[in-house]
Amino acid sequence: MAQQWVAEELIARARKATGLERFDSDSFREGLEIFLADVNKGQPPEAAIERVRGDVVGVLANRLKTTAYLEQRPQLLQRPIERPVFVFGIPRTGTTLLSNLLAADPARRSPLTWEIDDPVPPPASATLYNDPRALARLEMEAKMLAANPEPVDEATATPRIQQFLSNRRASEAIANEMNQLRAGAKIQ
């Protein structure tokens, strides 16, 4: 890789993309610097470089947007968060099943894939599935699935494919599959 990644350049891109300047804190910088040092040591393929750069800028932009949103609504920071549940695990250990079971509880909700990618402003419950960001995500996923050479019948598709087609399930495990599709890999 000829060009070294520099945190300030990526931060500047995020600021330009959002028109926002202020992060809530610099707590992200240490992790960003470690990540960039690893990227700069490696030699990722050119296709991966732009995709990852876009992902990093997107994450930084989301942080800027979240900071601005909360500055305009400080009362949100006073709300109690009672007993959140986080599901973590390595692939093929049942995390998707557990996430989907938890999301089936009408008293609880897991974020949808599009909410993870574009969380600000948060959607209202009534617009979870018809928010323009949700519809844009569905369109993007449909294009990626169309580019995948294997035909997909939603009625007989595996649960992982159905997650893409519905955009109505919890987001767990989808990012990895989307990255595989972006790279042109077939979903197993």
Side-chain angles (χ1 to χ4, degrees):
M1 178 168 68
Q3 181 183 2
Q4 295 286 296
W5 287 21
V6 178
E8 289 307 319
E9 184 266 330
L10 296 170
I11 290 168
R13 285 185 185 209
R15 286 178 168 149
K16 183 177 180 183
T18 61
L20 301 168
E21 288 293 319
R22 200 179 90 67
F23 288 98
D24 61 318
S25 74
D26 284 341
S27 62
F28 67 93
R29 286 186 181 266
E30 179 181 7
L32 179 60
E33 293 289 350
I34 292 168
F35 173 75
L36 296 180
D38 284 347
V39 170
N40 287 333
K41 276 192 264 183
Q43 295 183 357
E46 282 299 315
I49 290 171
E50 283 309 309
R51 183 173 48 88
V52 174
R53 186 185 325 261
D55 290 346
V56 171
V57 170
V59 169
L60 291 168
N62 279 341
R63 188 169 183 133
L64 286 164
K65 291 189 286 186
T66 301
T67 299
Y69 186 83
L70 291 173
E71 282 177 346
Q72 295 168 4
R73 297 161 186 83
Q75 71 278 10
L76 293 177
L77 295 174
Q78 304 307 315
R79 281 186 176 172
I81 299 174
E82 297 177 16
R83 302 177 59 188
V85 175
F86 297 91
V87 177
F88 293 96
I90 59 174
R92 312 301 310 155
T93 60
T95 53
T96 301
L97 174 62
L98 180 57
S99 290
N100 287 333
L101 286 171
L102 290 170
D105 179 353
R108 304 283 179 243
R109 191 171 84 71
S110 291
L112 300 174
T113 304
W114 72 266
E115 291 178 278
I116 299 295
D117 292 342
D118 197 358
V120 179
S125 295
T127 63
L128 280 176
Y129 306 114
N130 61 6
D131 184 289
R133 297 168 291 174
L135 299 176
R137 178 64 183 234
L138 278 174
E139 184 178 335
M140 178 189 74
E141 291 171 1
K143 287 177 182 176
M144 287 184 180
L145 287 170
N148 195 355
E150 293 182 20
V152 176
D153 174 8
E154 187 169 1
T156 60
T158 65
R160 287 161 56 188
I161 294 290
Q162 288 172 345
Q163 286 177 322
F164 293 122
L165 295 172
S166 70
N167 197 24
R168 294 176 181 257
R169 292 196 172 86
S171 67
E172 196 278 325
I174 293 179
N176 185 45
E177 271 76 353
M178 291 305 294
N179 287 335
Q180 288 178 16
L181 282 172
R182 285 182 191 142
K186 293 180 183 178
I187 295 178
Q188 306 275 320

